[in-house]
Amino acid sequence: DMGANTGLINNVGLNAFQIALEQASIDPKYATKKLAAIYEILEPDYMTVQAEGRLIKLDKRLMEFLMLNLMMAMFYTRLGENVVRGGNAFSSGDFVDVLSHFPDTVVPERRKKRAYISNILSKNEVTRDDKYNRKLFRRIKHGQYIINPQLSLWVEDEWRSIYDLLSLDLLAYRLRDGQSYFYVNIDEHLQKQLEHFRSQVMALC
DNA sequence: TGTACTTCGCCGCTATCATG
DNA sequence: CATGATAGCGGCGAAGTACA
């Protein structure tokens, strides 16, 4: 309300809108009670991305807009957990879980269904031959997606490569337990899972 | 400049097929 | 059998057109 620049990002590459989404993805109570009001204030009108040298404007009314923001918002928390527990990435189920707590005024019921979410993921997968493919996601195995490593975002007046913006090093470094942060005690096996994931992503950059 | 009508691009959505 | 992937129909609204 006082004219703060909502486009600025924190030290791990998330803007205010994405921080709100991060909180909502962790805390169902926040999602149902607080999200709607803050969403309206912080949601940008669009975001500008670049894939394969093509400029893409993602309008806020597109599901792709929300999905990309959610993927960024869930990067350190849910993606971290998924990687650590079983070497997976994002699947449609992650979105179904998180969106189920969002009020209908923010996300209409039809957009919370698995089939619809899966459709958006598949339609925007880099290798998909589709006229309106925005190349936002990359499938690493059946049903498992990450943000397209070739993607660049226009953030704070410059182009930032997505995995330069988001820190792979800090992935799963902190997970939340209720309201508080704690550092995961990562044993050797989990450390290997993380390393494998990091090198897999780096190889695609 | 207004308005009524047509065309067309852009997806939303789901039926259906595929996969593990 | 549950979940993921895909095709493509149909709706909507913006843009175009025609005429007053």
Side-chain angles (χ1 to χ4, degrees):
Chain A
D1 288 347
M2 297 175 75
N5 181 355
T6 55
L8 300 177
I9 58 171
N10 67 4
N11 60 329
V12 291
L14 302 181
N15 64 28
F17 177 59
Q18 291 157 348
I19 293 168
L21 289 177
E22 183 185 45
Q23 185 63 30
S25 74
I26 295 163
D27 180 1
K29 238 191 274 174
Y30 180 90
T32 47
K33 303 240 162 72
K34 305 239 174 103
L35 182 65
I38 204 94
Y39 195 100
E40 213 179 301
I41 297 169
L42 295 178
E43 184 189 34
D45 285 338
Y46 59 88
M47 70 194 289
T48 310
V49 306
Q50 196 180 323
E52 294 177 7
R54 209 158 55 100
L55 197 63
I56 302 160
K57 184 175 165 180
L58 286 179
D59 193 275
K60 67 175 177 182
R61 71 196 167 84
L62 292 175
M63 186 56 169
E64 283 85 342
F65 169 92
L66 178 59
M67 302 261 297
L68 180 58
N69 276 293
L70 268 176
M71 266 203 189
M72 293 178 71
M74 299 193 289
F75 183 80
Y76 299 103
T77 53
R78 197 172 264 257
L79 178 63
E81 277 185 65
N82 290 353
V83 170
V84 168
R85 298 187 224 285
N88 286 326
F90 287 117
S91 67
S92 56
D94 290 313
F95 293 91
V96 173
D97 281 356
V98 167
L99 290 176
S100 69
H101 300 111
F102 281 39
D104 290 354
T105 49
V106 174
V107 180
E109 206 59 52
R110 60 170 196 277
R111 284 187 161 178
K112 299 177 183 176
K113 293 192 191 131
R114 186 187 55 75
Y116 179 67
I117 290 162
S118 170
N119 151 47
I120 300 289
L121 289 169
S122 136
K123 200 160 68 177
N124 292 283
E125 207 277 339
V126 280
T127 59
R128 179 77 190 279
D129 177 27
D130 185 284
K131 201 173 157 194
Y132 303 109
N133 183 355
R134 294 184 167 86
K135 303 185 189 262
L136 302 176
F137 314 122
R138 168 108 200 194
R139 185 158 33 219
I140 55 171
K141 59 183 162 184
H142 188 84
Q144 301 297 321
Y145 293 85
I146 56 173
I147 300 172
N148 176 12
Q150 304 278 347
L151 203 68
S152 293
L153 274 64
W154 184 254
V155 175
E156 293 184 348
D157 296 324
E158 60 174 340
W159 286 111
R160 297 283 299 273
S161 172
I162 185 70
Y163 292 115
D164 164 53
L165 191 62
L166 301 177
S167 167
L168 278 166
D169 288 338
L170 294 176
L171 185 65
Y173 193 61
R174 51 184 196 188
L175 299 175
R176 292 196 196 201
D177 176 18
Q179 295 300 317
S180 60
Y181 285 108
F182 70 96
Y183 296 107
V184 195
N185 185 15
I186 295 179
D187 67 23
E188 206 172 319
H189 170 67
L190 299 184
Q191 195 61 48
K192 279 209 173 112
Q193 293 264 50
L194 275 173
E195 265 326 303
H196 176 255
F197 182 78
R198 280 187 192 121
S199 55
Q200 195 179 5
V201 172
M202 290 313 287
L204 296 171
C205 281

